[in-house]
């Protein structure tokens, strides 16, 4: 693990986004419940979906600013969520969507946990950020449980940052005679 809090999480796998995932992504992007806290809060147009999907399928070097990697979360072989990452100046920005029929099961947290396990070796950093609507308390809670700290509000969104957690400098000493 990468030093984030290990919470009980659904049994999912996170795999790279592929062309076969376009329909699942489009279904999420057209669902007003999913896009409620994204961009202008409206479902995405076919043009927006196409442009984002093509960007996700292009696999440029992860060291370049703007490089993206998308992942699909599967449970029992079925897609249940989308996890995205984008290299920015100071950190790798993450985002995630969970299929509405899967809400309330802890999948957002599981997506973050799996992403935090995969992304450091992919991008060569353990510094992450996320932008969240102030009204999206479930997402904010999932992030803060994983050591993301709210830093600012930019363009109406709360910005959360999580830097590499430092290792303890000295081991915890126990008094003699205790275990």
């Amino acid at each position: 693990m990468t030093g984030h809090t290990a919470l009980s999480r659904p049994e999912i796998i996170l795999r790279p986004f592929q062309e076969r995932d376009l329909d699942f992504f489009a279904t999420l992007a057209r669902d007003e419940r999913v896009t409620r806290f994204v961009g202008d809060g409206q479902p995405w147009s076919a043009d927006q979906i196409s442009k984002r999907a093509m960007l996700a399928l292009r696999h440029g070097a992860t060291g370049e600013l703007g490089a993206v990697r998308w992942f699909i979360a599967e449970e029992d072989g079925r897609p249940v969520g989308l996890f995205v990452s984008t290299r920015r100046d100071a950190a790798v920005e993450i985002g995630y969507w969970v299929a509405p029929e899967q809400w309330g099961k802890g999948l957002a947290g599981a997506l973050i946990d799996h992403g935090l396990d995969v992304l450091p070796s992919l991008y060569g950093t353990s510094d992450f950020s996320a932008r969240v609507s102030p009204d999206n308390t479930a997402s904010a809670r999932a992030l803060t449980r994983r050591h993301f700290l709210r830093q600012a509000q930019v363009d109406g969104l709360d910005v959360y940052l999580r830097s590499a957690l430092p290792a303890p400098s000295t081991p915890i000493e126990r008094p003699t005679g205790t275990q």
Side-chain angles (χ1 to χ4, degrees), residues 122-161:
L122 186 62
Y123 287 97
T125 185
S126 293
D127 295 333
F128 301 104
S129 67
R131 293 180 292 156
V132 178
S133 168
D135 296 330
N136 192 344
T137 56
S139 188
R141 187 172 44 252
L143 289 165
T144 57
R145 286 181 175 168
R146 285 150 183 90
H147 307 288
F148 281 79
L149 300 174
R150 184 183 175 280
Q151 298 294 308
Q153 190 173 74
V154 177
D155 297 329
L157 297 174
D158 291 338
V159 177
Y160 288 81
L161 295 176

Side-chain angles (χ1 to χ4, degrees), residues 4 17 22 28 31 57 83 100-101 121 123 127 129 147 177:
H4 54 278
F17 184 82
L22 292 173
L28 293 177
D31 191 313
L57 291 169
F83 182 84
E101 62 274 9
S121 63
Y123 287 97
D127 295 333
S129 67
H147 307 288

